[in-house]
Amino acid sequence: MQSNLTSRDDKLHVGIIMDGNGRWATRRGLSRVRGHEAGVETIRRIVEAAPKQGIGTLTLYAFSTDNWRRPRAEVAALMTLLRFYLSNEVQSLVKNGVRLTVIGRRDRLPDGIASAIARAEAATAHGRALHLRIAVDYSARDAILNAATKAAALTSLTREAFSQLITGEAGLRDVDLIIRTSGEKRLSDFLLWEGAYAELHFTERMWPEFDAGDLAEALAAFRGRERRFGGLQAIMPEEVPSLSRA
């Protein structure tokens, strides 16, 4: 059984597919936009709870590359919420020691958002309590493809080097646990390389309903599992192999 992780080096990397905002709102007779607004409130709760529950890196799936197919009005509302988050949450992130980075494409975002992302990343760069990664216009397959294109120019390649090409940074911990809300049971092109050995947790709770207790429940289930990584015996946290190792 995996023990609680307490040292800074052993803090978990958790990815969350934040699903169910629209359905949560529709069931209450509200607009889908109101559901996304409620989802932002949930992000605040989970970002606050994550460091207290042994999470060092939290990757949230906010907007996939395929989400551009949604109605134009809904996409515009989501981009407005992203602007709002970047302009109104930075001070709180800095105060709480949260480092923010955004992964995914930035060239297709509406005017001004890429600059706002860069400012937020710079302002929070020294945060050490939690690394918050938000995936926007993100596709894991595209990230792998782009990394492979860059790798073609290299004379030699290691897993560590290739992982850095995919993630954009060195030494990022592989994903330990992926949580998906709303009852759906698929990865939807999320963290396919980093999450190759991630444990999966699916919950019926819609994202706006998800809270610190639900996160604790997912982590408790995770810590009760034996992680063998292809072997026959459970591996302790300090022995966990990394995809980024050569």
Side-chain angles (χ1 to χ4, degrees):
M1 180 179 295
Q2 193 159 6
S3 61
N4 278 336
L5 306 179
T6 55
S7 74
R8 188 170 185 274
D9 291 340
D10 284 338
K11 285 190 173 182
L12 297 171
H13 182 176
V14 174
I16 303 181
I17 302 172
M18 305 180 294
D19 198 12
N21 291 342
R23 277 169 285 165
W24 176 88
T26 299
R27 291 175 183 178
R28 287 161 176 77
L30 304 172
S31 69
R32 289 179 59 85
V33 172
R34 180 65 189 98
H36 295 308
E37 292 171 349
V40 172
E41 296 168 9
T42 300
I43 291 175
R44 293 192 187 102
R45 294 197 299 267
I46 299 307
V47 168
E48 180 180 351
K52 302 172 186 176
Q53 298 193 22
I55 297 172
T57 303
L58 178 66
T59 302
L60 302 179
Y61 205 4
F63 189 85
S64 77
T65 295
D66 290 330
N67 286 155
W68 290 113
R69 302 174 183 173
R70 293 191 175 188
R72 185 173 299 179
E74 183 171 347
V75 171
L78 287 167
M79 293 299 145
T80 298
L81 284 173
L82 177 58
R83 287 183 193 273
F84 176 85
Y85 188 86
L86 292 169
S87 63
N88 289 275
E89 295 297 319
V90 170
Q91 185 175 355
S92 176
L93 296 177
V94 171
K95 178 181 178 182
N96 291 293
V98 178
R99 174 192 170 201
L100 172 68
T101 59
V102 176
I103 61 174
R105 293 182 60 169
R106 303 186 187 186
D107 58 303
R108 297 188 293 195
L109 299 177
D111 290 345
I113 292 185
S115 297
I117 289 171
R119 289 193 298 271
E121 289 177 332
T124 62
H126 299 294
R128 295 293 179 268
L130 177 71
H131 182 188
L132 172 63
R133 303 166 75 235
I134 298 181
V136 178
D137 195 358
Y138 172 83
S139 160
R141 289 181 294 184
D142 284 352
I144 294 169
L145 178 61
N146 292 336
T149 301
K150 295 174 183 177
L154 303 177
T155 56
S156 63
L157 189 65
T158 63
R159 283 188 177 183
E160 181 178 15
F162 192 66
S163 181
Q164 185 171 346
L165 290 175
I166 292 173
T167 64
E169 60 181 290
L172 181 70
R173 181 185 176 105
D174 295 331
V175 181
D176 297 288
L177 172 66
I178 293 177
I179 300 169
R180 181 164 189 155
T181 58
S182 87
E184 302 291 351
K185 297 178 174 64
R186 54 182 178 271
L187 292 177
S188 297
D189 200 14
F190 182 56
L191 302 179
L192 301 181
W193 170 270
E194 305 95 308
Y197 273 101
E199 298 292 322
L200 306 178
H201 181 87
F202 302 106
T203 173
E204 297 292 329
R205 297 273 279 178
M206 299 294 176
W207 177 245
E209 302 168 330
F210 196 81
D211 59 21
D214 296 307
L215 180 62
E217 181 180 335
L219 291 170
F222 166 82
R223 288 171 174 140
R225 299 180 188 180
E226 289 189 348
R227 306 183 72 195
R228 300 185 183 88
F229 296 91
L232 297 179
Q233 296 180 337
I235 296 177
M236 296 303 292
E238 63 272 14
E239 301 171 326
V240 171
S242 172
L243 290 172
S244 61
R245 293 178 186 171

